[in-house]
Amino acid sequence: MISSYKQLSSKYLKGNIKRTILTLVGIVLSVALISTIGLFMKGSQLSQIESIKRLNGVSFHAGISNYDEAILNKIRYNPQIASYGLMSQGDKVPVGDISVQMNFADHRALGFLTYSLKDGKLPANDHEAAVDSWALPYIKNDLQIGGSFELDGKTYQLVGLLDNRAFTQKSKVGRLLTYKADFALGEGRILLEINQKANFNEVLEEIKSLTEDKNIVINDELIRVLKPESNQSILAMLVIVVSIVVIATVVVIYNAFQISVVERMKQFGLLRSIGATRKQIRQIVIREAAVLAVIAIPIGIVCSLLALAALQSVFLILLEDGARVSFFHIDWPILLISSIITLMTVLASSYYPAFFAGRISPLLAISSRLSIKKETIKKQKSTVLRKPLSFPLSLALKNVKRNKNRYTITILSIIISGVLFITFSSLMDIAFASKYVNDSSTKSDLTVVLKHDSPDSSVESQQIGELLKSIENVSEVYEQDSSFRITLKDATQSLATVADIQQTVGTNRDITIVNHLDENKAKDESKLVIKVLVYGFIAVISLIGSLNILNTITISIIIRRKELAALKSIGMSQRDLKKMIIYEALIYGFSGSLQGIFFGCILSYIMYLAVSGVMKIQWTIPYEACFITFVSALFISYVSVLVPLRKIQKDNLIDVIREQ
């Protein structure tokens, strides 16, 4: 026995389980959308921070040289500076054909340099050292980690290898890094890290005011990713993206409830006719929304976490050191904000239809005439629509025009999905336009640079090329700008190959060998991280958008079962009915995709304007994304009506028409 109007909410949800599930799916998709994007942005930021640190080899935010005691004290006692250390360069020590640059750092400065480490560990005392791996053969034959060597009159134990950098090899100046406890005032450079909670712009301005600009080095790339809100261009782009997400969430949830509530106007009219107040009608619908939200929000969050976990698994498979790319990151504030936004959106989206239902006349609601709009009958002059095959199309067009509200609700899902896909595809293009992705400066494993002294250099180059090809581990050799680009068969044997090249070619000629393997590896990992993040995110957005379109069109067809049964009862064949519904779906897909393409291109251009202050790129119309949006909208719209059509085909006409 029902003792309260509120109990009607649970009765309806249980009695219409299929429709409840469809509405629930709409809310789950919305929660998954906003939480996935939030967690995705956070995870992307963390992975990009690690990627840039590895590419640059350092993690400090700023460096100050030519400092005095006053500057050092201002850094030391500044609460907005999280950490600082001291680092200096010593003499260049000649070692055979190269020189070794001595570098000294205290413990805190060494902490900023861990990303330059290729293998082993950083020195812990002044008797330990880390050295460029390419310089080892010059310092001591067969020198490996754990071994000892003498340099500049002092014995060091090799505890780590630094990654090979092109500029050190071209200049033939290797790096040696060791520990130093005491620094003279003004010696070297102060390396500092700004507190994460501080205002980076204010701190950087304060640092710049301490000394001349030439004495300050700012790690702009790291700061740009670490604090995107400190850059107005990136902040504008983030605001655009978040706004799209919030609007998409509102539309998705509103669609699910609006379609569900519009169908039940007759029920609300009956309740009003037996004494239910407007407030009670609102409470019924809002209670349904609250129950569905409580069920859907945890499911949506779990779905978003599973999607991110899948992307993390891809990293582990594709990257050699995939465990270092910590993309999967559970951020509880983001999950809480996503849940609150979804809950508020659900309640707000359900309130408007309920408020509308409470205001209408009970007689109009019972008669089901709310969605019927009287139109002027126009004489059809077109001869095309007189053909038998055009009758379902004509009827489909009239059905679309007849219910503007349902038409708007349905195509909104398609528009939002199209806008999301085109917008984030443009973000993908922007990401791929970054210098880390397009940097093609070093596509080879090794580069042998020649210094020609003889007039007949072309003959000598040909001879050198043949010698290089004869080396066992060399796979490919091609000449470019007075140098030879070499691809190796086995990259792990690069040091041995360098020694062979030095012995074969470098004995009688002045050459410089540059090992690009470490830098190429860091760049390739950065490219792969960006591509997996972007393509994975596009896949998630596309899946959520597609399911949203399927859900919306499926609901809009299911709630018209009585109307479709009436058409069949007056003689419309199953074939014509199927054509009519398919034409309606294609009209939705056609109209929604075109509008989605239009607004998506506008937002794409706005994002281009926002990011143009960060990187120089040229905007072009995203033709490929637009074409995919158009074709996908038509295909998904077509597929979405197939399942409800099968169910409608099995319906008993009399039973459906008698349904209340």
Side-chain angles (χ1 to χ4, degrees), residues 54 73 119 152 262 302 366 390-391 401 412 477 536 562 590:
R54 286 198 299 273
N73 287 333
D119 194 12
D152 198 23
V262 166
V302 169
I366 293 172
S390 299
F391 172 72
K401 292 179 181 180
L412 268 176
V477 178
K562 184 182 292 188
F590 181 81

Side-chain angles (χ1 to χ4, degrees), residues 247-248 250-252 254-255 405-419 548-549 552 588 591-592 595-596 599:
I247 294 172
V250 171
V251 171
V252 169
Y254 178 80
N255 284 353
N405 191 31
R406 184 173 62 210
Y407 168 77
T408 303
I409 293 170
T410 306
I411 69 165
L412 268 176
S413 299
I414 302 174
I415 293 172
I416 290 295
S417 300
V419 168
N548 179 36
I549 296 172
T552 304
Y588 290 141
S591 177
Q595 295 181 63
F599 292 112

Side-chain angles (χ1 to χ4, degrees), residues 63-73 75-76 84-88 183-191 210-211 215:
I64 303 175
S65 57
N66 294 329
Y67 60 93
D68 54 21
E69 186 174 3
I71 294 176
L72 183 60
N73 287 333
I75 297 298
R76 179 184 293 146
Y84 77 94
L86 298 174
M87 180 180 178
S88 66
F183 287 80
L185 186 63
E187 179 185 355
R189 176 183 293 173
I190 304 173
L191 307 181
L210 298 176
T211 183
N215 297 329

Side-chain angles (χ1 to χ4, degrees), residues 370-656:
L370 289 169
S371 60
I372 300 175
K373 181 179 178 181
K374 186 176 180 181
E375 298 178 355
T376 304
I377 299 176
K378 298 180 180 179
K379 186 176 180 181
Q380 182 60 259
K381 296 181 180 180
S382 175
T383 57
V384 176
L385 295 179
R386 294 178 184 176
K387 297 179 181 179
L389 292 178
S390 299
F391 172 72
L393 176 59
S394 176
L395 200 57
L397 289 169
K398 290 184 179 297
N399 285 334
V400 170
K401 292 179 181 180
R402 177 171 60 88
N403 197 320
K404 295 290 185 182
N405 191 31
R406 184 173 62 210
Y407 168 77
T408 303
I409 293 170
T410 306
I411 69 165
L412 268 176
S413 299
I414 302 174
I415 293 172
I416 290 295
S417 300
V419 168
L420 284 173
F421 181 77
I422 293 174
T423 301
F424 287 104
S425 295
S426 297
L427 281 178
M428 176 181 67
D429 294 336
I430 291 172
F432 289 170
S434 66
K435 73 172 188 176
Y436 299 124
V437 177
N438 284 335
D439 187 2
S440 58
S441 58
T442 54
K443 290 187 177 181
S444 58
D445 297 329
L446 303 176
T447 299
V448 178
V449 183
L450 306 178
K451 292 185 179 179
H452 295 294
D453 296 326
S454 61
D456 194 7
S457 59
S458 60
V459 176
E460 184 184 16
S461 296
Q462 187 176 1
Q463 294 174 350
I464 293 174
E466 294 299 325
L467 287 174
L468 292 173
K469 290 178 182 178
S470 66
I471 296 175
E472 183 179 356
N473 194 34
V474 173
S475 172
E476 183 183 357
V477 178
Y478 64 94
E479 188 176 359
Q480 180 182 357
D481 300 330
S482 300
S483 63
F484 290 91
R485 303 281 182 170
I486 300 174
T487 304
L488 302 179
K489 296 177 182 177
D490 184 2
T492 59
Q493 300 298 319
S494 61
L495 293 179
T497 306
V498 169
D500 290 342
I501 294 173
Q502 190 67 44
Q503 184 177 2
T504 305
V505 181
T507 305
N508 302 320
R509 299 173 181 86
D510 187 5
I511 64 171
T512 301
I513 304 173
V514 181
N515 189 331
H516 301 293
L517 286 171
D518 292 337
E519 287 189 77
N520 286 346
K521 182 181 178 182
K523 290 176 182 178
D524 289 341
E525 285 189 0
S526 178
K527 294 177 188 178
L528 192 57
V529 167
I530 292 174
K531 289 181 179 179
V532 172
L533 289 176
V534 173
Y535 282 127
F537 189 55
I538 291 293
V540 171
I541 291 296
S542 302
L543 177 62
I544 292 175
S546 301
L547 291 176
N548 179 36
I549 296 172
L550 282 168
N551 189 51
T552 304
I553 295 182
T554 300
I555 292 176
S556 68
I557 297 299
I558 288 178
I559 65 175
R560 295 170 56 202
R561 288 171 63 239
K562 184 182 292 188
E563 172 190 326
L564 300 175
L567 289 173
K568 290 173 67 176
S569 68
I570 60 175
M572 191 173 189
S573 66
Q574 180 66 34
R575 182 180 178 184
D576 285 345
L577 183 69
K578 181 179 179 180
K579 286 184 178 181
M580 182 194 74
I581 295 175
I582 291 175
Y583 282 142
E584 285 186 31
L586 293 178
I587 290 170
Y588 290 141
F590 181 81
S591 177
S593 62
L594 290 182
Q595 295 181 63
I597 289 170
F598 175 74
F599 292 112
C601 289
I602 291 177
L603 285 174
S604 171
Y605 183 72
I606 292 174
M607 282 198 304
Y608 156 74
L609 293 177
V611 81
S612 59
V614 180
M615 59 180 69
K616 301 300 180 182
I617 57 175
Q618 184 176 2
W619 183 82
T620 57
I621 298 175
Y623 292 106
E624 184 177 350
C626 293
F627 178 75
I628 294 174
T629 300
F630 181 75
V631 174
S632 300
L634 293 178
F635 177 75
I636 296 170
S637 300
Y638 172 76
V639 172
S640 62
V641 300
L642 297 182
V643 175
L645 270 175
R646 291 177 183 175
K647 294 181 179 180
I648 291 171
Q649 189 175 2
K650 298 176 182 178
D651 285 341
N652 185 290
L653 297 181
I654 298 176
D655 291 341
V656 174

Side-chain angles (χ1 to χ4, degrees), residues 270-285:
L270 289 171
L271 291 174
R272 288 294 313 281
S273 67
I274 60 175
T277 63
R278 296 179 180 179
K279 182 178 179 181
Q280 288 171 330
I281 294 294
R282 290 197 297 268
Q283 288 178 343
I284 291 171
V285 180

